[in-house]
Amino acid sequence: MTVRELLGVRVERVTDLGSSHSWTLHRAALADGREVFVKAAHGRGGVFAAEAAGLRWLAGAGPDAPVPEVLAADGHRLVLPWLPAEAPTARAAERFGRDLAALHAAAPDAFGAPWDGFIADLPLDNTPDPGPWPRWYAERRLAPFLRRAARDLGGDGVRLVEKVIEGIDALAGPPEPPARIHGDLWSGNVLWTGGRAMLIDPAAHGGHRETDLAMLALFGAPHLQRIVAAYDEAAPLADGWRERIPLHQFHPLLVHVALFGSGYREQAVAASRAALALPP
């Protein structure tokens, strides 16, 4: 269906914004005065269905959840409100920390999610599982992407990943209940707008709350220390969480190896060594 058919409103102008992975990005002005953001692709319906389901599920955390409304979605398009970007401020970062803590606290019943997941355009096994989290993470996140990334990791890299999987119970820290997490929360998926942070492009699922914080640190987020401090004040983190950051960054780095090849191998290997507390 076209955007007009999905929304029931005439589209007056479309501005192309480039592409990402296997879809294109657009800004559209509607006859009723609204502007919307549109992702479009052919044959990628599962990706948009997962993103729409994830955004709606995150919004279910409460009326102030930091996610945009899904205006429409089908197999070829996802339509969201257009949100003008602005520079992040310290005050907005502190609010983000509190908002993220509240989002995580709206706990689901299990790890995983009741829909087929994607990260970028790679599938994620979201099979719901009561846990514990370490085995779920090893079986549903690390092992599948080890198979995808094995060629670029090489033999030594594969053996390090296997050691992380084998030792996951000892590496994962104190038990945590499932949290309602974004799942791909690098800084590019944080949109600063209206004096706050809004979360976009989720790989949402019931997961470990430290995963979202580790993702924010992976490629650097503005005012990260303020975000984490506000989060920790609202929902104190378990002892040793900083030492576990590499463990939680390990899956997204394997994803990057699977997507982009050996250019991310050294980061993935370094994360595995750090998770195992091995010297560099």
Side-chain angles (χ1 to χ4, degrees):
M1 298 177 70
T2 65
V3 173
R4 177 174 182 170
E5 289 168 333
L6 285 170
L7 298 179
V9 180
R10 187 177 72 256
V11 176
E12 295 194 333
R13 185 177 65 259
V14 175
T15 303
D16 294 334
L17 303 175
S19 62
S20 177
H21 301 291
S22 57
W23 46 84
T24 56
L25 311 174
H26 312 271
R27 179 178 182 176
L30 306 180
D32 62 8
R34 290 180 295 166
E35 288 194 307
V36 296
F37 174 73
V38 182
K39 284 185 174 181
H42 294 287
R44 305 301 303 177
V47 173
F48 294 155
E51 184 172 346
L55 287 169
R56 288 167 173 148
W57 182 74
L58 293 172
D64 206 32
V67 290
E69 178 187 2
V70 177
L71 299 178
D74 68 4
H76 302 298
R77 289 173 182 80
L78 175 70
V79 186
L80 308 175
W82 178 262
L83 299 175
E86 62 190 26
T89 65
R91 183 174 181 179
E94 290 168 359
R95 178 176 178 179
F96 178 27
R98 295 189 295 271
D99 285 348
L100 189 61
L103 181 69
H104 289 169
D109 295 329
F111 297 101
W115 59 83
D116 294 332
F118 285 87
I119 187 163
D121 49 7
L122 297 178
L124 287 173
D125 183 353
N126 273 349
T127 304
D129 191 315
W133 177 80
R135 298 318 307 170
W136 180 89
Y137 183 61
E139 294 169 4
R140 309 292 185 189
R141 292 296 183 263
L142 298 185
F145 282 87
L146 170 58
R147 291 191 290 272
R148 288 181 174 274
R151 183 179 64 181
D152 289 305
L153 286 173
D156 291 346
V158 167
R159 283 188 285 275
L160 281 170
V161 179
E162 290 172 341
K163 286 183 180 180
V164 173
I165 291 173
E166 290 166 6
I168 192 74
D169 292 323
L171 300 174
E176 290 257 359
R180 190 177 301 236
I181 72 169
H182 177 282
D184 190 18
L185 196 56
W186 72 289
S187 59
N189 286 343
V190 179
L191 176 62
W192 300 92
T193 183
R196 66 183 306 193
M198 297 292 279
L199 310 186
I200 57 174
D201 295 345
H205 63 278
H208 197 303
R209 63 195 184 119
E210 291 175 10
T211 296
D212 275 350
L213 295 172
M215 278 295 297
L216 284 172
L218 182 55
F219 298 115
H223 304 293
L224 180 60
Q225 290 185 342
R226 287 182 180 270
I227 295 168
V228 173
Y231 183 105
D232 193 41
E233 182 177 359
L237 292 156
D239 289 346
W241 69 269
R242 289 181 178 85
E243 289 71 27
R244 291 187 293 275
I245 287 174
L247 178 65
H248 291 273
Q249 292 178 340
F250 198 23
H251 172 245
L253 286 170
L254 287 177
V255 171
H256 276 70
V257 176
L259 282 170
F260 305 116
S262 59
Y264 283 92
R265 179 189 183 277
E266 293 307 314
Q267 272 186 280
V269 168
S272 64
R273 297 187 72 86
L276 292 163
L278 296 173

